Amino acid sequence: MNTLFDKIWDKHVVQQVEDGPTQLYIDRLYCHEVTSPQAFDGMRARGLKCFRPDKIFCMPDHNTPTHDQDKPIADPVSKKQVDTLAQNAAEFGLTHYGMMSKDNGIIHVVGPEKGLSLPGMTIVCGDSHTSTHGAMGAVAFGIGTSEVEMVLASQCILQQKPKSMRISINGTLQKGVTAKDVALYLMSQLTTSGATGYFVEYAGDVVRNLSMEGRLTLCNLSIEMGARGGFVAPDETTFEYLKGREYAPKGDAWNQAVAYWKTLKSGDDAVFDKELIFSAEDIEPRITYGTNPGMGIGISESIPSEGDANFEKSLHYMGFKPGQKLLGTKVDYVFLGACTNGRIEDFRAFASMVKGRRKADDVIAWLVPGSWAVDRQIREEGLDKILESAGFEIRQPGCSACLAMNDDKIPAGKLSVSTSNRNFEGRQGPGARTVLASPLVAAAAAVTGVITDPRILL
């Protein structure tokens, strides 16, 4: 029997090019300001209109500052990119959620929370972390600028069909272990290229028991194992999350949609190109020590004593040594946010850790909601009061310190504990040193001033 990936893929095939790629229909295209300008220029040069403008949603996120969004953007490059997206959306008749709009935020946070990303869809965006939307039970993946133009013009894309992989994580997660830790563990086991050429279906007890937001975090990081994307079969958790959201079906259409969505699962006899099984008991809160997301350890463990050719270079950049424990290492910056961990559950987790405590005096903390909707919920739940009384400030939504494309850059040499998705050299700013971690590990570092096992504070 076919896998779930096969079911969704096959349903969207327009035609198969002989000895070539598949022409695949796309249900949803998300456009942000970084990878879309050349695509719109190409459309303009050819005198084309968007084929299905109602399927396309535009939103600036990478370049948006996380303070004073009501004022003009100071950085000229960022301003030009954000302004250009607004102009292109207006010219081509596309829905655009601009800065300071109540609907704005990081596109991979807003899509699911508005019900724009639904089970069984094919979803693309000019951004690798489009895999996030797979948590809804969709086939979602990042594409290049020329492919963005292809979808704008035809609502289709030419793609080679990836192979299928199922990763099952069974058992029960320990106290203080989150979806982020599961993802960091998988990356350390598979390496950053271990899933190259595959689309990953996540399964097993742990995945079934994850919240929707936990699944979004897990799928977000699929790309960091080299996968084309990752997804979770929709279930009652998915339906409960989507019910009543702005773009989710309503009334009889909702009942019909759920009936269809319930068929979206791999059969008991489905055959995958590769199957991997892991145990929840092997996973503790995790941190990275190197310059790719696969270079990670359990928080109580030591850095390996040896590694590949990149190992020594990475440790030199990070200022760490083989065999070193990172517990107790001084931290300069803490970043909570990004399309990986900028959702309401991440802020709840962070707030639960810092409640009744105080931010360490020498730590600079940037707490950045993934959307204005998350910001509103933070305030409705009173999390803002908990965070402010602990010495933290909540910034305005955007990609922020996930990547050095806006004002929120970590200075050279400073060590950042970050809930984002990448720790490459210079990713958070030229010379910045990044340790990837969960919101709980980030919160523990923020109140102690050093890398700390969150379990001792829970």
Side-chain angles (χ1 to χ4, degrees), residues 155-364:
Q155 208 58 35
C156 292
I157 193 171
L158 295 175
Q159 283 287 295
Q160 296 287 352
K161 186 178 181 180
K163 293 181 288 186
S164 62
M165 179 191 293
R166 180 162 60 188
I167 296 178
S168 299
I169 310 113
N170 294 316
T172 305
L173 293 178
Q174 304 171 44
K175 182 179 76 167
V177 177
T178 70
K180 180 66 166 287
D181 300 301
V182 173
L184 289 171
Y185 174 79
L186 293 177
M187 284 184 261
S188 71
Q189 298 299 302
L190 273 78
T191 77
T192 50
S193 59
T196 301
Y198 291 91
F199 225 94
V200 176
E201 178 175 344
Y202 295 104
D205 310 326
V206 167
V207 177
R208 276 193 297 275
N209 290 323
L210 283 179
S211 68
M212 204 63 236
E213 301 205 344
R215 296 176 186 185
L216 287 160
T217 295
L218 180 62
C219 291
N220 174 271
L221 289 156
S222 305
I223 196 74
E224 308 307 339
M225 303 184 299
R228 195 72 185 90
F231 66 102
V232 177
D235 58 14
E236 291 302 327
T237 299
T238 322
F239 312 149
E240 188 62 33
Y241 176 89
L242 285 170
K243 193 169 188 178
R245 293 192 182 266
E246 183 179 349
Y247 284 90
K250 306 288 190 297
D252 288 344
W254 169 260
N255 296 330
Q256 290 169 19
V258 170
Y260 166 59
W261 294 343
K262 285 180 175 177
T263 70
L264 295 177
K265 54 188 176 185
S266 295
D268 294 337
D269 54 353
V271 178
F272 292 81
D273 294 304
K274 192 169 188 177
E275 287 242 33
L276 296 171
I277 299 173
F278 297 96
S279 171
E281 285 72 28
D282 295 334
I283 309 173
E284 67 169 340
R286 296 188 65 84
I287 50 174
T288 59
Y289 61 84
T291 55
N292 73 55
M295 299 178 78
I297 51 175
I299 198 161
S300 68
E301 296 175 347
S302 303
I303 295 172
S305 54
E306 57 185 2
D308 60 17
N310 187 46
F311 178 73
E312 284 185 29
K313 180 174 179 285
S314 289
L315 288 194
H316 177 74
Y317 179 85
M318 292 297 295
F320 299 149
K321 292 184 169 54
Q324 177 184 348
K325 274 191 184 294
L326 294 185
L327 284 173
T329 301
K330 184 182 179 303
V331 170
D332 302 301
Y333 281 75
V334 166
F335 170 52
L336 173 67
C339 60
T340 315
N341 285 121
R343 298 176 183 84
I344 188 63
E345 282 185 13
D346 304 310
F347 277 80
R348 287 177 189 147
F350 194 99
S352 73
M353 177 69 72
V354 306
K355 187 176 183 179
R357 298 185 168 99
R358 287 289 299 173
K359 181 181 77 66
D361 290 339
D362 49 358
V363 170
I364 294 172

Side-chain angles (χ1 to χ4, degrees), residues 406-457:
N406 53 71
D407 295 343
D408 297 354
K409 297 179 179 69
I410 307 298
K414 298 297 184 184
L415 185 69
S416 163
V417 173
S418 176
T419 67
S420 52
N421 40 49
R422 287 182 174 159
N423 54 343
F424 304 152
E425 289 188 22
R427 170 79 177 181
Q428 290 194 288
R433 302 181 299 141
T434 303
V435 170
L436 299 178
S438 74
L440 289 177
V441 172
V447 294
T448 61
V450 296
I451 293 174
T452 300
D453 189 332
R455 292 172 294 188
I456 68 170
L457 301 182

